[in-house]
């Protein structure tokens, strides 16, 4: 086990709640169309005056307040966003500008799309156990609504905005990461993408307005991820020397209503063992897993001594999972 203790968690949502009924009207669709297609009752979208970094700072403030943690005790901030606030500099530095941490506190970005939070937890655990840091804040924030192409129902109706944060330290070694796996299959690199924003598509080499919007080939994503997910889950359990019966709660990436159903069916577990907040949050990209984990803490489904499995799929195509003893 790689020692890691989660001291506290928190979340933040934009002010504007968007119901599927409202989207039916906005998109000129029949009543019930959006909820039927998306599986969402409502989600939250940021207004033009709200920023990704400000939402992240609010989530961190919430985590610090809930844990009674002094902001000055944080000696590293990791931003685990699927899409950064801008190409340069890091989103972490923009969060630090608002978070009220000690001046000079270091921060950097970790980007692995929807499973960025899992990667950040593993990186944080490594740094803590190496003695490089004593207490780390991990914040995942995404404004998916800024990249929505409303002309594509498959890639627009499922998303919501949000942020979540955790504060971690090494602890006494009685709790931590029992297994972790991350696999990338680049044959799926074009299945989920935003083409612009980097060096590949920009004004120097050519760019279209549509290149700044999210594109997805849902059936291809599902087919490829379904073909590799069983192996990932089996490897996670084997590495931790446990069976699925030893897992108290499963926290999946809230990808879609069909994806949530697929996870429960694939694992053959009772629905109550799977944290499902999709209908009221949507797919929040990298913020999905930590927001669902925060919900598990709040509802008592993730408690000290229990095992929690975090699992998700991401652009790349990447699949990742982690088993944590709390």
């Amino acid at each position: 086990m790689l020692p890691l203790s989660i001291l506290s968690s928190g979340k933040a949502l934009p002010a504007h709640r968007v119901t599927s009924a409202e989207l039916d009207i906005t998109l000129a669709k029949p009543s019930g169309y959006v909820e039927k297609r998306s599986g969402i009752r409502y989600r939250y979208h940021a207004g033009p005056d709200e920023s990704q970094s400000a939402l992240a700072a609010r989530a961190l403030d919430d985590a610090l307040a809930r844990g009674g943690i002094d902001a000055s005790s944080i000696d590293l901030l990791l931003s685990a966003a699927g899409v950064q606030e801008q190409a340069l500099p890091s989103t972490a530095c923009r969060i630090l500008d608002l978070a009220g941490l000690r001046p000079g506190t270091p921060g950097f970005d970790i980007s692995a799309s929807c499973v960025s939070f899992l990667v950040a937890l593993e990186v944080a655990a490594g740094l803590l156990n190496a003695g490089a840091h004593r207490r780390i804040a991990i914040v995942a924030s995404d404004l998916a609504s800024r990249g929505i192409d409303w002309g594509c129902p498959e890639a627009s109706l499922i998303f919501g905005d949000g942020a979540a944060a955790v504060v971690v330290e090494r602890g006494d070694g009685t709790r931590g990461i029992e297994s972790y796996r991350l696999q990338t299959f680049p044959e799926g690199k074009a299945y989920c993408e935003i083409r612009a924003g980097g060096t590949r598509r920009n004004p120097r080499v050519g760019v279209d307005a549509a290149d700044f919007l999210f594109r997805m080939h849902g059936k291809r994503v599902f087919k490829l991820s379904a073909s590799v997910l069983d192996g990932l889950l089996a490897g996670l359990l084997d590495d931790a020397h446990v069976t699925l019966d030893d897992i108290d709660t499963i926290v999946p990436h809230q990808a879609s209503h069909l994806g949530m159903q697929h996870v429960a069916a694939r694992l053959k577990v009772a629905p109550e063992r799977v944290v499902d907040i999709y209908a009221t949050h949507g797919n929040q990209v990298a913020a999905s897993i930590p927001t669902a984990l925060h919900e598990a803490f709040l509802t008592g489904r993730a408690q000290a001594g229990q095992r929690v499995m975090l699992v998700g799929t991401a652009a790349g195509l990447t699949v990742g999972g982690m088993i944590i003893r709390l």
Side-chain angles (χ1 to χ4, degrees):
M1 182 170 64
L2 184 60
L4 182 74
S5 176
I6 299 177
L7 302 180
S8 182
S9 66
K11 82 169 188 179
L13 293 168
H16 184 43
R17 190 175 82 164
V18 182
T19 68
S20 288
E22 289 172 326
L23 284 179
D24 286 336
I25 297 171
T26 300
L27 301 176
K29 298 295 184 181
S31 178
Y33 172 86
V34 172
E35 184 166 349
K36 182 177 180 180
R37 287 293 301 267
S38 69
I40 300 174
R41 296 196 302 275
Y42 58 86
R43 79 286 284 151
Y44 295 82
H45 285 170
D49 59 335
E50 294 180 286
S51 73
Q52 184 174 351
S53 53
L55 198 64
R58 280 177 47 206
L60 178 54
D61 285 345
D62 188 41
L64 293 173
R66 289 178 184 277
I69 298 169
D70 188 341
S72 66
S73 69
I74 305 297
D75 60 9
L76 175 66
L77 183 137
L78 301 179
S79 172
V83 178
Q84 311 312 314
E85 186 160 302
Q86 62 186 65
L88 194 75
S90 69
T91 301
C93 80
R94 300 188 68 85
I95 298 171
L96 283 166
D97 187 43
L98 301 168
L101 304 187
R102 286 183 293 108
T105 300
F108 59 89
D109 293 354
I110 290 177
S111 179
S113 186
C114 297
V115 294
S116 296
F117 179 72
L118 300 186
V119 180
L121 277 177
E122 178 75 1
V123 170
L127 291 170
L128 291 166
N129 282 277
H133 297 279
R134 298 185 64 183
R135 185 169 286 177
I136 299 174
I138 303 171
V139 188
S141 62
D142 269 299
L143 300 187
S145 64
R146 299 280 169 87
I148 284 176
D149 179 358
W150 291 110
C152 179
E154 180 183 48
S156 62
L157 302 182
I158 64 173
F159 288 105
D161 300 339
V166 296
V167 178
V168 298
E169 63 182 21
R170 185 185 183 279
D172 60 8
T174 60
R175 59 188 73 181
I177 299 171
E178 294 186 316
S179 64
Y180 164 77
R181 287 199 174 197
L182 188 75
Q183 299 173 336
T184 298
F185 302 89
E187 61 266 37
K189 65 183 181 297
Y191 295 174
C192 298
E193 62 177 348
I194 298 175
R195 296 181 179 181
T199 59
R200 180 168 176 248
R201 295 286 181 97
N202 60 58
R204 295 287 185 187
V205 297
V207 64
D208 297 322
D211 291 332
F212 291 93
L213 302 179
F214 177 71
R215 304 178 184 210
M216 180 175 70
H217 300 283
K219 291 182 179 179
R220 294 179 183 178
V221 171
F222 184 83
K223 183 177 180 180
L224 180 54
S225 60
S227 71
V228 299
L229 195 56
D230 283 350
L232 176 91
L233 295 172
L236 274 178
L237 295 169
D238 187 56
D239 292 346
H241 307 292
V242 298
T243 69
L244 200 54
D245 291 336
D246 297 312
I247 305 298
D248 296 287
T249 301
I250 298 162
V251 181
H253 168 47
Q254 314 285 300
S256 67
H257 65 304
L258 295 178
M260 295 298 295
Q261 293 170 7
H262 178 71
V263 168
R266 206 72 177 235
L267 293 173
K268 297 183 175 63
V269 298
E272 56 267 22
R273 290 177 62 192
V274 180
V275 179
D276 187 350
I277 61 171
Y278 174 77
T280 56
H281 290 72
N283 181 337
Q284 297 171 296
V285 198
S288 272
I289 291 177
T291 300
L293 178 61
H294 177 66
E295 178 72 14
F297 284 130
L298 288 183
T299 57
R301 299 169 69 183
Q303 302 183 43
Q306 292 185 331
R307 281 191 180 92
V308 173
M309 175 189 282
L310 312 176
V311 63
T313 59
L317 182 130
T318 296
V319 292
M322 177 180 285
I323 295 175
I324 305 179
R325 168 81 78 163
L326 299 174

